[in-house]
Amino acid sequence: MRLKTSALIALPSALLLALSLSACGKETATTASTGSSPSSTAGSSASSTDKATRNNSDGASAGSSSGADNARTVSIHDLQTGDCLSKMGPESTDGGQSTAKATVVDCTAPHQFEIVGEAESTATSLSEATAPQAIVDTCQPVLETYVGSTKQAAGYRIGSLNPNQSSWDQGDHTLTCFLQAPDDNPLNKSAKDS
């Protein structure tokens, strides 16, 4: 059974600013409620990714670190299922261009987001694929598998990192799904099989 999201509210403006990468021509990511529990809310935030060049430079996941002291900054293109992120946002490069980066921490350290997997959108356009309900429809099964049940999934908000328009036009319709707490409070353990 798929649960519907009823309303959208904005995430804190600091998160919006941290995740906004409009200078890169990137597209947006949206988080949406996955459940109808009283503490579940929905929201949207700007984020980005051009996953056309997605690759894994080091193969390590956040679970192999021990605490926030072992935090590492990676390109969002290198995120893997199970990575716990304390933040996502732009980072300047030598050329002055902004690139999307994420700080990966051990899942026992406080973190805002957790990558739950990837899903292929069946939408006919990027704007259709990134609508809040479309993200829920695409990422909900991935979230439920990751956490182990529909009931557990209802306790999280879900969002996605999306290809930019150019990548979408070239056939990349893969969304990288992530979860976060419905109240924007940090998580302190992995949601995997919770």
Side-chain angles (χ1 to χ4, degrees), residues 2-9 11 15 19 28-37 39-47 81 88 112-120 129-150 152-162 175-184 187 191:
R2 269 212 184 108
L3 303 171
K4 302 292 180 186
T5 174
S6 61
L8 293 175
I9 60 172
L11 287 174
L15 181 58
L19 296 178
T28 61
T30 303
T31 57
S33 174
T34 61
S36 58
S37 65
S39 63
S40 263
T41 59
S44 66
S45 66
S47 183
T81 298
M88 287 188 283
Q112 291 294 327
F113 313 100
E114 188 168 343
I115 305 296
V116 298
E118 293 183 336
E120 192 75 15
T130 58
Q133 187 59 50
I135 290 174
V136 170
D137 293 344
T138 302
C139 290
Q140 181 73 23
V142 177
L143 174 64
E144 290 175 4
T145 299
Y146 187 81
V147 300
S149 74
T150 301
Q152 289 300 111
Y156 298 102
R157 238 185 337 192
I158 194 157
S160 67
L161 298 171
N162 310 313
L175 307 184
T176 300
C177 305
F178 62 85
L179 64 77
Q180 68 186 110
D183 56 6
D184 294 326
L187 302 166

Side-chain angles (χ1 to χ4, degrees), residues 14 33 48 53 57 79 101 109 122 134 154 180 189:
S33 174
S48 71
T53 59
S57 61
L79 294 173
K101 298 286 184 180
T122 58
Q180 68 186 110
K189 65 179 183 173

